[in-house]
Amino acid sequence: MTGGLRHYEMSYDRPADLAEVRAFVRASAGHLGLPERRADLLTLAVSELATNTLQHTAGGGRVRLRAEPGRLLCDVIDRGPMRLLGREMPAAQEVRGRGLAIVESICDEVGIESEDGSTRVCLTFLLEVEP
């Protein structure tokens, strides 16, 4: 946690860091008020993105979580190219390509920005969801 804000951040740069990234996201999401089941979904989404970072870019990445009124925001930042949203889930026989489709299907919102050689994927989870 940094400063007086409810803001958590960590960096990762090797495959061995992925377990720590997942534990960090899960714990931080809980501290920020995300219910357990939704924190599990956020952890899955970040794991998919962090794995993509390590497989397709150089230099690793960062994960940053913060709470705003009614929602939790999670940024996954790396030096990779801009990603396209709106992907279809690949056919069952395809070996790869499900990561972003999974992320989009389990998050309340997903946004992507690219600036100064960095790409930021912003995941939004509402803190209170109607049953």
Side-chain angles (χ1 to χ4, degrees), residues 12-89:
Y12 59 94
D13 60 7
R14 55 196 175 95
D17 294 337
L18 290 173
E20 186 178 346
V21 167
R22 288 187 290 268
F24 165 79
V25 169
R26 181 71 184 81
S28 300
H31 292 302
L32 292 170
L34 195 63
E36 184 175 343
R37 182 177 176 289
R38 308 228 343 119
D40 289 342
L41 292 173
L42 174 61
T43 301
L44 173 62
V46 171
S47 182
E48 289 290 336
L49 294 172
T51 298
N52 283 353
T53 294
L54 296 175
Q55 289 180 341
H56 303 293
T57 73
R62 288 181 293 135
V63 177
R64 180 175 53 216
L65 292 92
R66 64 194 180 281
E68 291 185 353
R71 64 188 186 159
L72 181 144
L73 302 174
C74 179
D75 297 327
V76 180
I77 304 159
D78 63 31
R79 306 293 283 172
M82 184 74 162
R83 298 157 180 89
L84 298 176
L85 295 176
R87 294 179 180 212
E88 296 283 327
M89 188 64 72

Side-chain angles (χ1 to χ4, degrees), residues 96-110:
R96 304 178 60 89
R98 288 175 180 74
L100 284 177
I102 290 169
V103 169
E104 286 187 78
S105 71
I106 63 178
C107 298
D108 293 317
E109 292 179 28
V110 179

